[in-house]
Amino acid sequence: MNNGGGANTHPDNEHASTNKPADDGFGLAVARVAVAQICESVGFGGSRGSTLDSLADIAVRYIRDIGMASRFYSNLAGRCQCNVFDIIRTLEDLGNFQGFSCASAVRNCIAGSGTMKDIMEHVEMAEEIPFAHTLPWFPIARERRPIPSFDRLGEIPPGNHIPSWLPALPDPHTYKRTLVWNERKPDPRAEKLEQVKQRRKAERALLNLQQRMAIYGQGGASASSYVPNVDVKGTQFMVKEGSVKFAPPLQMGEEDVSVLNVPDVLADRLTTENHGSIMEAFVSAIDAMRDQFSDDANEDEVGRSKVLPDRRHSVRFKFKMSKKVLGHSLDLDIRNRIIGKHFSVIEREEERDDKKRRAACILKQSMENPEELTQL
Amino acid sequence: MNYNQSHQQQPQQSGEGRHDDDAAVTEFLASLLEYTPTIPDELVEHYLGKSGFQCPDVRLIRLVAVATQKFVAEVASDALQHCKARQASIVKDKGNKQQKDKRLILTMDDLSKALREYGVNVKHQEYYVDSPSTGLDPTTREE
């Protein structure tokens, strides 16, 4: 029946009690533990949670009752501090329900009351069970920082009627709207320099990209290694032609390209101009796109990708580094293609020349521009 | 003279009695310093402070703690008696087939019965109000 453990084990609870947050929660919790230990020492194996709570509450009330009654007795005797006799009288009062030995006897000394004897007997008989946990001194008093006085702050109180040892008045910004000072000094020159520097960085990045594109165009077969997800068809195509400047990747879900017949026009250009400039790469890209979309218009007759496999549509360059832009940008032209204008084969060649010219102009600009930039 | 002598003797005896009582209490309070009650000193002092009890002496705090511990122990032992009595009645009904070796659980019924003798009325809230035995004395109900 008895638990084997001593003070360290607590009786298990059949019911999990809901902890209601109270102002006195900590004290009640501690009392709960102490009462549980006492129950365990008496012989109980366990207890219901609510029952334990009730018993703890009753124990706390008992302590408070002792305190109140002792204070009453000490005040009655004209003292403010209690002594042992006050407590003994209190215990006699509270124990009146059951009675204590020699209650009716007339005593000259209260120290001989039965209550004390009972308590002494209890202390001797019961085993000593110290509390299971160590407790801090509670409640913990929070330190409050008082508002400093006028003297402490070195302020002069506004008005003769306010003595200087009183707490200082609050700052005006706490109750009034005051001006907000901009701490940072405006420096237009530094700001402009910063802006120009950032623009230069952006332009340099663009240039690097262009150069890399040029390398792709130049590389040919070697460039294909840089291009991701190249289809088998692409590699075959490369091997066949040998001097292809541009090795575009196939898009996912691409149809089977059975025969890749490079039109003569394109093949000529590719073979003649071997030192691939960026221009060539762009022009071929534009051509391929245009062909593709025109083929889309006549889908039934011609295959989907006649000339070259699909290219990435996302490559778009805007040559707008300086304000002067000669002619249309390539971007616009590509967009026009997407809308779906038809071009006859004859017109294609002329426009191809136009595009070539335009691309050359714009590229020249971009080459010149870095020089301008350095001059900045 | 005889009267005077007898008169003188009585105060001496009572004086000795007083002295004994005083000595006993003093001794007891001194022994309390070594004894650690189950209810911690911090808790007792907190609640005594709340009710206005002022005393810097640790022995008195321990005295109050011991008194409270005695009170709670008495209530718990009374509840234990009630619990055992109930279990004994059950065993008697069913015969001595099973020995109730289970752990004894402190329930609200036992506690309220024990506290009634101390003048504390504790009543547990019923869970179901619609049964006919609601509000009746638990002993009259079937277990």
Side-chain angles (χ1 to χ4, degrees), chain B residues 15-87:
Chain B
E16 279 172 16
R18 209 180 299 158
H19 182 69
D20 287 338
D21 291 336
D22 277 343
V25 170
T26 319
E27 216 179 284
F28 171 67
L29 289 177
S31 72
L32 270 185
L33 286 174
E34 291 143 12
Y35 181 84
T36 314
T38 310
I39 301 176
D41 287 344
E42 292 89 0
L43 182 78
V44 173
E45 206 162 323
H46 173 62
Y47 285 114
L48 285 179
K50 271 198 171 186
S51 43
F53 181 99
Q54 263 198 357
C55 185
D57 202 348
V58 180
R59 296 175 294 174
L60 294 185
I61 308 291
R62 291 261 168 96
L63 180 62
V64 173
V66 164
T68 313
Q69 184 180 343
K70 175 172 168 286
F71 169 73
V72 173
E74 281 174 5
V75 170
S77 62
D78 284 351
L80 189 73
Q81 299 303 321
H82 281 112
C83 190
K84 280 186 190 169
R86 185 154 29 100
Q87 295 217 330

Coordinates of all heavy atoms in Angstrom, one line a residue, chain B residues 15-87:
Chain B
G15 N 4.7 27.6 40.3 CA 5.9 28.1 39.7 C 6.7 27.0 39.0 O 7.2 27.2 37.9
E16 N 6.9 26.0 39.7 CA 7.6 24.9 39.1 C 6.9 24.3 37.9 O 7.6 24.0 36.9 CB 7.8 23.7 40.2 CG 8.9 24.0 41.1 CD 8.9 23.0 42.3 OE1 8.2 21.9 42.1 OE2 9.5 23.3 43.3
G17 N 5.6 24.2 38.0 CA 4.8 23.7 36.9 C 5.0 24.6 35.7 O 5.2 24.1 34.5
R18 N 4.9 25.9 35.9 CA 5.1 26.8 34.9 C 6.5 26.7 34.3 O 6.7 26.7 33.1 CB 4.9 28.2 35.4 CG 4.4 29.2 34.4 CD 4.3 30.6 35.0 NE 3.3 30.6 36.1 CZ 3.3 31.5 37.1 NH1 4.2 32.5 37.1 NH2 2.4 31.4 38.1
H19 N 7.4 26.5 35.1 CA 8.8 26.4 34.7 C 8.9 25.2 33.8 O 9.6 25.2 32.8 CB 9.7 26.3 35.9 CG 11.1 26.2 35.5 ND1 11.8 27.3 34.9 CD2 12.0 25.2 35.6 CE1 13.1 26.9 34.7 NE2 13.2 25.6 35.1
D20 N 8.2 24.1 34.2 CA 8.3 22.9 33.4 C 7.7 23.1 32.1 O 8.3 22.7 31.1 CB 7.6 21.7 34.1 CG 8.4 21.2 35.3 OD1 9.6 21.5 35.3 OD2 7.8 20.6 36.2
D21 N 6.6 23.7 32.1 CA 5.9 23.9 30.8 C 6.8 24.8 29.9 O 6.9 24.6 28.7 CB 4.5 24.6 31.0 CG 3.6 23.6 31.7 OD1 3.8 22.4 31.5 OD2 2.6 24.1 32.3
D22 N 7.2 25.9 30.5 CA 8.1 26.8 29.8 C 9.3 26.1 29.2 O 9.7 26.2 28.0 CB 8.6 27.9 30.7 CG 7.5 29.0 30.8 OD1 6.6 29.0 29.9 OD2 7.6 29.8 31.7
A23 N 9.9 25.3 30.1 CA 11.1 24.6 29.6 C 10.8 23.6 28.5 O 11.5 23.5 27.5 CB 11.7 23.8 30.8
A24 N 9.6 23.0 28.6 CA 9.3 22.0 27.6 C 9.1 22.8 26.3 O 9.6 22.3 25.2 CB 8.0 21.3 28.0
V25 N 8.4 23.9 26.3 CA 8.1 24.6 25.1 C 9.4 25.2 24.5 O 9.6 25.1 23.3 CB 7.1 25.7 25.4 CG1 7.0 26.6 24.2 CG2 5.7 25.1 25.7
T26 N 10.2 25.7 25.4 CA 11.5 26.3 24.9 C 12.3 25.2 24.2 O 12.9 25.4 23.2 CB 12.2 26.9 26.1 OG1 11.4 27.6 26.9 CG2 13.3 27.8 25.5
E27 N 12.3 24.1 24.9 CA 13.1 22.9 24.3 C 12.5 22.5 23.0 O 13.2 22.3 22.0 CB 13.0 21.8 25.3 CG 14.3 20.9 25.4 CD 14.1 19.8 26.4 OE1 14.1 20.1 27.6 OE2 13.9 18.7 26.0
F28 N 11.2 22.5 22.9 CA 10.6 22.1 21.7 C 10.8 23.1 20.6 O 11.1 22.6 19.4 CB 9.0 22.0 22.0 CG 8.3 21.8 20.7 CD1 8.4 20.6 20.0 CD2 7.4 22.8 20.2 CE1 7.7 20.4 18.8 CE2 6.7 22.5 19.0 CZ 6.8 21.4 18.3
L29 N 10.8 24.3 20.9 CA 11.0 25.3 19.9 C 12.5 25.2 19.4 O 12.8 25.4 18.2 CB 10.7 26.7 20.4 CG 9.3 27.1 20.6 CD1 9.1 28.5 21.2 CD2 8.5 27.0 19.3
A30 N 13.4 24.9 20.3 CA 14.8 24.8 19.9 C 14.9 23.6 19.0 O 15.7 23.6 18.0 CB 15.7 24.7 21.1
S31 N 14.2 22.5 19.3 CA 14.3 21.3 18.5 C 13.7 21.5 17.1 O 14.1 20.8 16.1 CB 13.6 20.1 19.2 OG 12.2 20.3 19.1
L32 N 12.8 22.5 17.0 CA 12.2 22.8 15.7 C 13.2 23.3 14.7 O 13.0 23.1 13.5 CB 11.1 23.8 15.9 CG 9.7 23.3 16.2 CD1 8.7 24.4 16.2 CD2 9.3 22.2 15.1
L33 N 14.3 23.9 15.2 CA 15.3 24.4 14.3 C 15.9 23.3 13.5 O 16.3 23.4 12.4 CB 16.3 25.2 15.0 CG 15.9 26.6 15.5 CD1 16.9 27.2 16.4 CD2 15.5 27.5 14.3
E34 N 16.0 22.1 14.1 CA 16.6 21.0 13.4 C 15.6 20.2 12.6 O 15.9 19.6 11.6 CB 17.3 20.0 14.4 CG 18.5 20.6 15.1 CD 18.5 20.2 16.6 OE1 17.8 19.3 16.9 OE2 19.3 20.8 17.3
Y35 N 14.4 20.3 13.0 CA 13.3 19.5 12.3 C 12.9 20.3 11.1 O 12.7 21.5 11.2 CB 12.2 19.3 13.3 CG 11.0 18.6 12.7 CD1 11.0 17.2 12.7 CD2 9.9 19.2 12.1 CE1 9.9 16.5 12.2 CE2 8.8 18.5 11.6 CZ 8.9 17.2 11.7 OH 7.8 16.5 11.1
T36 N 12.7 19.6 10.0 CA 12.3 20.3 8.7 C 10.9 19.8 8.5 O 10.6 18.7 8.1 CB 13.2 19.9 7.6 OG1 14.5 20.0 8.0 CG2 12.9 20.8 6.4
P37 N 9.9 20.7 8.6 CA 8.5 20.3 8.3 C 8.3 20.1 6.8 O 9.1 20.7 6.0 CB 7.7 21.4 8.8 CG 8.6 22.6 9.0 CD 10.0 22.1 9.0
T38 N 7.3 19.4 6.5 CA 7.0 19.1 5.1 C 6.6 20.4 4.3 O 7.0 20.6 3.1 CB 5.9 18.0 4.9 OG1 6.3 16.9 5.8 CG2 5.8 17.6 3.5
I39 N 5.9 21.2 5.0 CA 5.5 22.5 4.4 C 6.7 23.4 4.5 O 7.1 23.7 5.6 CB 4.2 23.0 5.1 CG1 3.1 22.0 5.0 CG2 3.8 24.3 4.5 CD1 1.8 22.4 5.7
P40 N 7.1 24.0 3.4 CA 8.3 24.8 3.4 C 8.1 26.1 4.1 O 7.0 26.7 4.1 CB 8.7 25.0 1.9 CG 7.4 24.8 1.2 CD 6.6 23.8 2.0
D41 N 9.2 26.6 4.6 CA 9.1 27.9 5.4 C 8.7 29.0 4.5 O 8.0 30.0 4.9 CB 10.5 28.2 6.0 CG 10.8 27.3 7.1 OD1 9.9 26.7 7.7 OD2 12.0 27.2 7.5
E42 N 9.2 29.0 3.2 CA 8.9 30.2 2.4 C 7.4 30.3 2.1 O 6.8 31.4 2.1 CB 9.6 30.0 1.0 CG 11.1 30.1 1.1 CD 11.8 28.8 1.4 OE1 11.0 27.8 1.5 OE2 13.0 28.7 1.4
L43 N 6.8 29.1 1.9 CA 5.3 29.1 1.7 C 4.6 29.7 2.9 O 3.7 30.5 2.8 CB 4.8 27.7 1.4 CG 3.4 27.6 1.0 CD1 3.1 28.0 -0.4 CD2 2.9 26.1 1.2
V44 N 4.9 29.2 4.1 CA 4.2 29.6 5.3 C 4.4 31.1 5.5 O 3.5 31.8 5.9 CB 4.8 28.8 6.5 CG1 4.2 29.3 7.8 CG2 4.4 27.3 6.3
E45 N 5.7 31.5 5.3 CA 5.9 32.9 5.6 C 5.2 33.8 4.6 O 4.7 34.9 5.0 CB 7.4 33.2 5.5 CG 7.8 34.4 6.3 CD 9.3 34.4 6.6 OE1 9.9 33.4 6.8 OE2 9.8 35.6 6.6
H46 N 5.0 33.4 3.4 CA 4.3 34.1 2.4 C 2.9 34.3 2.8 O 2.3 35.5 2.8 CB 4.4 33.4 1.0 CG 3.5 34.0 0.0 ND1 3.7 35.3 -0.5 CD2 2.5 33.5 -0.7 CE1 2.8 35.5 -1.4 NE2 2.0 34.4 -1.6
Y47 N 2.2 33.2 3.2 CA 0.8 33.4 3.6 C 0.6 34.0 4.9 O -0.4 34.7 5.1 CB 0.1 32.0 3.5 CG -0.1 31.5 2.1 CD1 0.6 30.4 1.6 CD2 -1.0 32.2 1.3 CE1 0.4 30.0 0.3 CE2 -1.2 31.8 0.0 CZ -0.5 30.7 -0.5 OH -0.7 30.4 -1.8
L48 N 1.5 33.8 5.8 CA 1.4 34.6 7.1 C 1.6 36.1 6.9 O 0.9 36.9 7.5 CB 2.4 34.1 8.1 CG 2.2 32.7 8.7 CD1 3.3 32.3 9.7 CD2 0.9 32.7 9.5
G49 N 2.5 36.4 6.0 CA 2.6 37.8 5.7 C 1.4 38.4 5.1 O 1.1 39.6 5.3
K50 N 0.7 37.6 4.3 CA -0.5 38.1 3.6 C -1.6 38.4 4.7 O -2.5 39.3 4.4 CB -1.1 37.1 2.7 CG -0.5 37.2 1.3 CD -1.4 36.4 0.3 CE -1.0 36.7 -1.1 NZ -1.9 36.2 -2.1
S51 N -1.6 37.7 5.8 CA -2.6 38.0 6.8 C -2.1 38.9 7.9 O -2.9 39.1 8.9 CB -3.1 36.6 7.3 OG -2.0 35.8 7.6
G52 N -0.9 39.4 7.8 CA -0.5 40.4 8.8 C 0.3 39.9 9.9 O 0.6 40.6 10.9
F53 N 0.7 38.7 9.9 CA 1.5 38.1 10.9 C 2.9 38.5 10.8 O 3.5 38.3 9.8 CB 1.4 36.5 10.8 CG 2.1 35.8 11.8 CD1 1.4 35.3 12.9 CD2 3.5 35.6 11.7 CE1 2.1 34.5 13.9 CE2 4.1 34.8 12.7 CZ 3.4 34.3 13.7
Q54 N 3.4 39.2 11.8 CA 4.7 39.7 11.8 C 5.6 39.1 12.8 O 5.3 39.3 14.0 CB 4.7 41.2 11.9 CG 4.7 42.0 10.7 CD 5.1 43.4 10.9 OE1 5.3 43.8 12.0 NE2 5.2 44.1 9.8
C55 N 6.6 38.3 12.4 CA 7.5 37.8 13.4 C 8.8 37.4 12.7 O 8.7 36.6 11.7 CB 6.9 36.6 14.1 SG 7.9 36.0 15.4
P56 N 9.9 37.9 13.1 CA 11.1 37.5 12.4 C 11.7 36.2 12.9 O 12.7 35.7 12.4 CB 12.1 38.7 12.8 CG 11.5 39.2 14.1 CD 10.1 38.9 14.1
D57 N 11.0 35.6 13.9 CA 11.6 34.4 14.5 C 11.3 33.2 13.6 O 10.1 32.9 13.3 CB 11.0 34.2 15.9 CG 11.9 33.3 16.8 OD1 12.8 32.7 16.2 OD2 11.7 33.3 18.0
V58 N 12.3 32.4 13.3 CA 12.1 31.3 12.4 C 11.4 30.2 13.2 O 10.6 29.4 12.6 CB 13.5 30.7 11.9 CG1 13.3 29.5 11.0 CG2 14.2 31.8 11.2
R59 N 11.6 30.1 14.5 CA 11.0 29.0 15.2 C 9.4 29.1 15.2 O 8.7 28.1 15.1 CB 11.4 29.1 16.7 CG 12.9 28.8 16.8 CD 13.4 29.0 18.2 NE 13.2 30.4 18.7 CZ 13.5 30.7 19.9 NH1 13.8 29.8 20.9 NH2 13.3 32.0 20.3
L60 N 8.9 30.3 15.2 CA 7.5 30.4 15.2 C 6.9 30.0 13.8 O 5.8 29.5 13.7 CB 7.1 31.9 15.5 CG 7.4 32.3 16.9 CD1 6.8 33.7 17.2 CD2 6.8 31.3 17.9
I61 N 7.7 30.4 12.8 CA 7.3 30.0 11.4 C 7.2 28.4 11.4 O 6.3 27.9 10.8 CB 8.3 30.5 10.4 CG1 8.5 32.0 10.5 CG2 7.8 30.2 9.0 CD1 7.3 32.8 10.2
R62 N 8.2 27.8 11.9 CA 8.3 26.4 11.9 C 7.1 25.8 12.8 O 6.5 24.8 12.4 CB 9.6 25.9 12.5 CG 10.8 26.1 11.6 CD 11.2 24.9 10.8 NE 12.1 25.3 9.8 CZ 13.4 25.1 9.9 NH1 13.9 24.7 11.1 NH2 14.2 25.5 9.0
L63 N 6.8 26.5 13.8 CA 5.7 26.0 14.7 C 4.4 26.0 13.9 O 3.6 25.1 13.9 CB 5.6 26.9 15.9 CG 4.5 26.6 16.9 CD1 4.7 25.2 17.5 CD2 4.4 27.6 18.0
V64 N 4.2 27.1 13.1 CA 2.9 27.2 12.3 C 3.0 26.1 11.3 O 1.9 25.5 11.0 CB 2.8 28.6 11.7 CG1 1.7 28.6 10.7 CG2 2.6 29.7 12.8
A65 N 4.1 25.9 10.7 CA 4.2 24.9 9.6 C 3.9 23.5 10.2 O 3.2 22.7 9.6 CB 5.6 24.9 9.0
V66 N 4.4 23.2 11.4 CA 4.2 21.9 12.0 C 2.7 21.8 12.4 O 2.1 20.7 12.2 CB 5.1 21.8 13.2 CG1 4.6 20.6 14.1 CG2 6.5 21.5 12.8
A67 N 2.1 22.9 12.8 CA 0.7 22.8 13.2 C -0.2 22.5 12.0 O -1.1 21.7 12.0 CB 0.3 24.1 13.8
T68 N 0.2 23.1 10.9 CA -0.6 22.9 9.6 C -0.4 21.5 9.1 O -1.3 20.8 8.7 CB -0.1 23.9 8.5 OG1 -0.1 25.2 9.1 CG2 -1.0 23.8 7.3
Q69 N 0.9 21.0 9.2 CA 1.1 19.6 8.8 C 0.3 18.7 9.6 O -0.2 17.7 9.1 CB 2.6 19.4 9.0 CG 3.1 18.0 8.5 CD 4.6 17.9 8.7 OE1 5.3 18.8 8.9 NE2 5.0 16.6 8.6
K70 N 0.3 18.9 10.9 CA -0.5 18.0 11.8 C -2.0 18.0 11.4 O -2.6 17.0 11.3 CB -0.4 18.5 13.3 CG -1.2 17.8 14.3 CD -0.8 18.2 15.6 CE -1.8 17.7 16.7 NZ -3.1 18.4 16.6
F71 N -2.5 19.2 11.1 CA -3.9 19.3 10.7 C -4.2 18.5 9.4 O -5.1 17.7 9.3 CB -4.2 20.8 10.5 CG -5.5 21.1 9.8 CD1 -6.7 20.9 10.5 CD2 -5.6 21.5 8.5 CE1 -7.9 21.1 9.9 CE2 -6.8 21.8 7.9 CZ -8.0 21.6 8.6
V72 N -3.3 18.7 8.4 CA -3.5 18.0 7.1 C -3.3 16.5 7.3 O -4.1 15.7 6.7 CB -2.5 18.6 6.1 CG1 -2.6 17.7 4.8 CG2 -2.8 20.0 5.8
A73 N -2.4 16.1 8.1 CA -2.2 14.7 8.4 C -3.4 14.1 9.1 O -3.8 13.0 8.7 CB -0.9 14.5 9.2
E74 N -4.0 14.8 9.9 CA -5.2 14.3 10.6 C -6.3 14.1 9.7 O -7.0 13.1 9.7 CB -5.6 15.2 11.8 CG -4.7 15.0 13.0 CD -5.1 16.0 14.1 OE1 -6.0 16.8 13.9 OE2 -4.4 16.0 15.1
V75 N -6.5 15.1 8.8 CA -7.6 15.1 7.8 C -7.3 13.9 6.9 O -8.3 13.1 6.6 CB -7.7 16.4 7.0 CG1 -8.6 16.2 5.8 CG2 -8.2 17.5 7.9
A76 N -6.1 13.7 6.4 CA -5.8 12.7 5.5 C -6.0 11.3 6.2 O -6.5 10.4 5.5 CB -4.3 12.8 5.0
S77 N -5.6 11.2 7.4 CA -5.7 9.9 8.1 C -7.2 9.6 8.3 O -7.6 8.4 8.1 CB -5.0 9.9 9.4 OG -5.5 10.8 10.3
D78 N -8.0 10.6 8.6 CA -9.5 10.3 8.7 C -10.0 9.9 7.4 O -10.9 8.9 7.3 CB -10.2 11.6 9.1 CG -10.0 11.8 10.6 OD1 -9.4 10.9 11.3 OD2 -10.4 12.9 11.1
A79 N -9.6 10.5 6.3 CA -10.1 10.1 5.0 C -9.6 8.7 4.6 O -10.4 7.9 4.0 CB -9.5 11.1 3.9
L80 N -8.4 8.3 5.1 CA -7.9 7.0 4.9 C -8.8 6.0 5.6 O -9.1 4.9 5.1 CB -6.5 6.9 5.3 CG -5.7 5.6 5.0 CD1 -5.4 5.6 3.5 CD2 -4.5 5.5 5.8
Q81 N -9.2 6.3 6.8 CA -10.1 5.5 7.6 C -11.4 5.2 6.8 O -11.9 4.1 6.7 CB -10.4 6.0 8.9 CG -9.2 6.3 9.8 CD -8.4 5.0 10.0 OE1 -8.9 3.9 10.2 NE2 -7.1 5.1 10.0
H82 N -11.9 6.3 6.3 CA -13.2 6.2 5.6 C -13.0 5.3 4.3 O -13.9 4.4 4.0 CB -13.7 7.6 5.1 CG -14.4 8.3 6.2 ND1 -13.8 9.5 6.7 CD2 -15.5 8.1 6.8 CE1 -14.6 10.0 7.7 NE2 -15.7 9.2 7.7
C83 N -11.9 5.5 3.7 CA -11.6 4.7 2.4 C -11.5 3.2 2.8 O -12.1 2.4 2.1 CB -10.3 5.2 1.8 SG -10.0 4.6 0.2
K84 N -10.8 3.0 3.8 CA -10.6 1.6 4.2 C -11.9 0.9 4.7 O -12.2 -0.2 4.4 CB -9.6 1.5 5.4 CG -8.1 1.6 4.9 CD -7.2 1.3 6.1 CE -5.8 1.7 5.8 NZ -4.9 1.7 6.9
A85 N -12.7 1.7 5.4 CA -14.0 1.2 5.8 C -14.9 0.9 4.6 O -15.5 -0.2 4.6 CB -14.7 2.3 6.7
R86 N -14.8 1.7 3.6 CA -15.6 1.4 2.5 C -15.2 0.2 1.8 O -15.9 -0.7 1.3 CB -15.6 2.6 1.5 CG -16.5 2.4 0.3 CD -17.0 3.7 -0.3 NE -16.1 4.9 -0.2 CZ -15.2 5.3 -1.1 NH1 -15.2 4.7 -2.3 NH2 -14.5 6.3 -0.9
Q87 N -13.9 0.0 1.7 CA -13.3 -1.1 1.0 C -13.6 -2.4 1.8 O -13.9 -3.4 1.2 CB -11.8 -1.0 0.8 CG -11.5 0.2 -0.1 CD -10.3 -0.1 -1.0 OE1 -9.4 -0.9 -0.6 NE2 -10.3 0.4 -2.2

